[in-house]
Amino acid sequence: MDRQTFLKTCGFACLGGSVMTLLEGCASAEYVAQTILQDRKIVLKKTEFIYIQKDKRIERKYVLVRNDKFRFPIYLRKQNEQTYTALLMECTHRSCELNPQGEYLVCPCHGSEFSNQGVVQNPPATRDLSYFKTSTDDENVYIHL
């Protein structure tokens, strides 16, 4: 490959990467659920996982929960109607706030990756994420603090 072709190829790759980053940034506006604090539990309605778009009912896979007690949000993922996973979105490597990206939580500071169950997938983090016990009833999800 000659120098001109190489530079052109690199330029297109950089441009494509920039466009993808912008598109991901626009699509990654995360939903923060409405909650209440009650007896050392955060309570949110199961309907927080549902939204209507063009008369179509769509279920969110996860919501973010903010609470004044924590510096970082809680990632609450719906596994099924009765099972939810609640993870503190604080990287165990250097305490940066994690970003949900598909099935993973990714640290923008040093690149650590965690599964949606909080298990380390890629270093430099070596410890799994902090998690909270959850429970449910017919209408609510409870995050036990």
Side-chain angles (χ1 to χ4, degrees), residues 91 93 98 105-114 120 122-126:
C91 183
H93 175 242
L98 300 171
L105 297 170
V106 179
C107 180
C109 297
H110 300 105
S112 295
E113 291 184 10
F114 301 86
V120 174
N122 287 318
T126 57

Side-chain angles (χ1 to χ4, degrees), residues 42 44 46 49 60-65 73-89 100 103-105 114-119 128-136 141-144:
I42 296 173
L44 70 146
K46 287 183 176 181
F49 284 88
R60 295 180 173 91
K61 292 183 179 184
Y62 66 89
V63 297
L64 300 184
V65 175
I74 296 170
Y75 171 86
L76 183 64
R77 183 170 184 87
K78 181 178 181 178
Q79 305 299 328
N80 60 50
E81 203 55 44
Q82 298 302 318
T83 307
Y84 294 79
T85 302
L87 304 169
L88 188 62
M89 292 180 62
E103 294 296 312
Y104 296 94
L105 297 170
F114 301 86
S115 72
N116 61 26
Q117 298 292 311
V119 177
D128 295 343
L129 298 177
S130 297
Y131 65 92
F132 301 89
K133 180 183 173 195
T134 62
S135 60
T136 64
V141 178
Y142 303 94
I143 302 171
H144 301 264

Side-chain angles (χ1 to χ4, degrees), residues 12 14 18 20 23 28 33 37 41 47 54 79 82 100 106 109 121 126:
F12 283 127
C14 290
S18 298
M20 288 306 292
L23 290 175
S28 67
L37 186 60
K41 291 184 272 192
T47 55
K54 296 183 180 179
Q79 305 299 328
Q82 298 302 318
V106 179
C109 297
Q121 301 296 299
T126 57

Side-chain angles (χ1 to χ4, degrees), residues 19-88:
V19 168
M20 288 306 292
T21 301
L22 286 172
L23 290 175
E24 285 179 8
C26 293
S28 67
E30 305 300 333
Y31 179 75
V32 178
Q34 300 296 312
T35 63
I36 60 170
L37 186 60
Q38 181 182 84
D39 301 324
R40 296 187 42 87
K41 291 184 272 192
I42 296 173
V43 182
L44 70 146
K45 299 279 184 201
K46 287 183 176 181
T47 55
E48 291 289 327
F49 284 88
I50 300 167
Y51 67 99
I52 306 298
Q53 183 176 25
K54 296 183 180 179
D55 296 330
K56 186 176 179 183
R57 181 178 189 242
I58 300 172
E59 287 201 36
R60 295 180 173 91
K61 292 183 179 184
Y62 66 89
V63 297
L64 300 184
V65 175
R66 295 210 179 263
N67 184 281
D68 293 340
K69 184 174 181 173
F70 302 103
R71 184 174 151 214
F72 299 96
I74 296 170
Y75 171 86
L76 183 64
R77 183 170 184 87
K78 181 178 181 178
Q79 305 299 328
N80 60 50
E81 203 55 44
Q82 298 302 318
T83 307
Y84 294 79
T85 302
L87 304 169
L88 188 62

